Amino acid sequence: MVTLHADEAAARSDANVDFDAIIIGAGVAGLYQLYRLRELGLRVQVFETGSSLGGTWYWNRYPGARFDSESWTYGYSFSKELLEEWNWDEHFSAQPHTEQYLNYVADKFDLRRNIQFNSRVISAHWHEAERHWDVELESGEHHTARFLVTAVGVLSAAVMPNIPGMESFTGISCHTHRWPKEDINVVGKRVGIIGTGATAVQTIQTIAKSVGHLTIFQRTPNWCFPLNNSKISSEEMADIKARYPEILARCLETPSCYVHGPDPRKAVEVTADEREAFWEKLYRTPGFGQWQGNFSDVLIDREANKLASEFAARKIRERVKDPAVAEKLIPKNHGFGTRRIPLETGYYEVYNQSNVELVDINETPIERITEKGIQTSDLEREFDVIIYATGFDSITGAFERIDIRGVNGVKLKEEWKNGPETYLGVFASGFPNMLMAMGPHGGLSNYTRTAEYGVEWITDVIKFAVERDLTRIDATPSAVAEWTNHVDELGQGLLMNEVGSWMTGVNRNVEGKQAPRIMRYSGGHPAYRAHCDAVAAEGYTNLAMS
Ligand code: NA7
């Protein structure tokens, strides 16, 4: 990447705008975007809602929050020095350590000076005559910028359920995403938790040991697999550092940028013994091996998926002593891996504890939250603490919480009411100079690996414009239509897209939000990069630049 000299960029800087670029969000993508754009010599400002940086790893302080990606595949790769300096403590790092890491990065590269904290962006309006964005903060402050980079996260718009009486509860209640820094003491307490997604699984297995009593309200069970986490010794860390080039290259080869990639064999073609031995091996493999490293037909072929589901169900039955509880924990409405699999450590054994109760709310629905607890159709249970592990308005939710208006005041939320329409997951037509880092339809996978690529691509296109004194970049409607159709087509036939989850357009976490449109690019990250690289190599001919 060629860097503009600071004086050259300064000469190009436009005195009519407050900043050359505003970035919304100081999470993994926003921090790196700041680093890259500042390197171009641009005047960049980040606005961040939180009182500190880290995004996901700032907010999610709930008990047991940790990576399901190998820590050493999640760090930034842009600085050899950083890779050399930072020691991960566990193969799947817990939230506090990851938050420390991001703070270390911010300090090392002096990023804080361009981040304004406690600054929620409430609106961003494009002004055509001036060719700039006007960004408004909750405080009423306004700032203008030529470019707007949204680094708002994929899972940052937390959703509370809509249950009558929630405000009447007199105990402590909290969404996992808003777990307070000062923590909530659950020791010896009567705790109820709603939800059984990846977040709930981490929370449940962590607090079950110390609470007085735990009641889990489950709407849909998920297929959970062992995380198989362990500490990283100093010798192991030295070995990882020596192997970083190989590890990072491996991540770029696999569809989702993990070290795990699909096994070319097909589950339906190997013998039953071979299948069983492989699945037993995967069950002991750390991380997403079971999901990302399985037989190549498991997520597309119904018969293969059924076999994989039967294996997973058997594991649950082996681990949960009460057969009736085990049956409730076995998903019946979706096959293995068609929703994001939660990774667990002793999760199923929690249900063998005498102080734990599983309530299937399909049998006995939650009717209301009361002053004392939760009333289901059969009885009222009293709690000291209610935990809402009810997930996110994913992928597009964070965009919709900002009043984003493009050319002629068109609202992004309105444009996307039937689901997102983008070009490469980076541009939305009619929203010039707005670039989405990790936007919908982009390469959303192992986060930092894919965010780094996205940020670098965005940096290059901004550099291209700045160098040519181009002050307006927009995706043409035809480019958006073509990309959106391509994303839709790639999603056809994937079992995953037949099931509602935060990864698809039918996300039951959000009442009434059911846009049956493919939300994620599912052609694999290598193919995504090939598309984006080709667009850059051709000089961005699909973009209208002036
Ligand atoms: P998820 O995976 O979207 O899970 C949310 C959970 O909350 C899920 O079990 C939902 O049940 C449940 N939920 C949501 N609303 C309700 C209501 N109203 N009543 C009962 N249950 C409800 O979010 P997570 O935070 O666990 O994980 C998100 C990602 O973060 C995860 O995949 C990782 O990538 C990190 P449902 O399944 O919809 O029936």
Side-chain angles (χ1 to χ4, degrees), residues 155 161 194-200 219-220 339-340 361 389-392 502 508-509:
L155 293 158
I194 302 177
T196 47
T199 297
R219 188 163 70 182
T220 312
R339 300 173 110 206
R340 200 273 205 193
I361 62 168
T390 47
F392 299 88
W502 72 258
R508 283 177 74 204
N509 295 340

Side-chain angles (χ1 to χ4, degrees), residues 469-483:
D469 289 328
L470 300 166
T471 51
R472 192 181 190 284
I473 319 172
D474 199 0
T476 59
S478 60
V480 167
E482 206 177 306
W483 182 254

Side-chain angles (χ1 to χ4, degrees), residues 4-15 20 40-43:
L4 290 176
H5 289 296
D7 50 353
E8 192 187 347
R12 293 199 166 106
S13 240
D14 188 337
D20 298 313
L40 290 185
L42 301 183
R43 292 174 303 131

Side-chain angles (χ1 to χ4, degrees), residues 34-173:
L34 168 61
Y35 173 82
R36 279 294 181 206
L37 291 182
R38 219 170 58 180
E39 200 183 40
L40 290 185
L42 301 183
R43 292 174 303 131
V44 190
Q45 180 69 25
V46 179
F47 294 113
E48 163 58 49
T49 304
S51 62
S52 187
L53 54 88
T56 286
W57 302 106
Y58 165 83
W59 293 104
N60 288 280
R61 298 168 184 279
Y62 62 82
R66 68 170 63 248
F67 285 152
D68 284 345
S69 307
E70 283 75 5
S71 313
W72 33 271
T73 68
Y74 196 97
Y76 294 109
S77 70
F78 67 88
S79 159
K80 282 209 172 68
E81 213 178 83
L82 176 63
L83 286 169
E84 198 46 51
E85 283 168 8
W86 184 258
N87 295 316
W88 293 102
D89 61 349
E90 292 178 271
H91 285 281
F92 301 88
S93 156
Q95 177 272 335
H97 191 66
T98 306
E99 191 188 16
Q100 267 172 31
Y101 168 73
L102 292 170
N103 277 278
Y104 180 84
V105 172
D107 290 338
K108 180 173 174 68
F109 298 103
D110 188 21
L111 299 179
R112 269 174 234 280
R113 68 184 155 90
N114 298 110
I115 307 174
Q116 185 174 317
F117 295 107
N118 301 305
S119 299
R120 178 192 294 280
V121 172
I122 58 165
S123 76
H125 294 176
W126 170 251
H127 290 221
E128 185 66 47
E130 295 84 1
R131 294 190 165 192
H132 72 215
W133 283 93
D134 182 333
V135 169
E136 184 186 6
L137 308 181
E138 203 167 29
S139 63
E141 254 175 72
H142 281 257
H143 296 280
T144 56
R146 180 75 67 217
F147 297 101
L148 176 67
V149 181
T150 61
V152 292
V154 174
L155 293 158
S156 54
V159 180
M160 287 293 265
N162 185 11
I163 306 173
M166 282 169 62
E167 64 299 334
S168 66
F169 181 61
T170 52
I172 296 171
S173 62

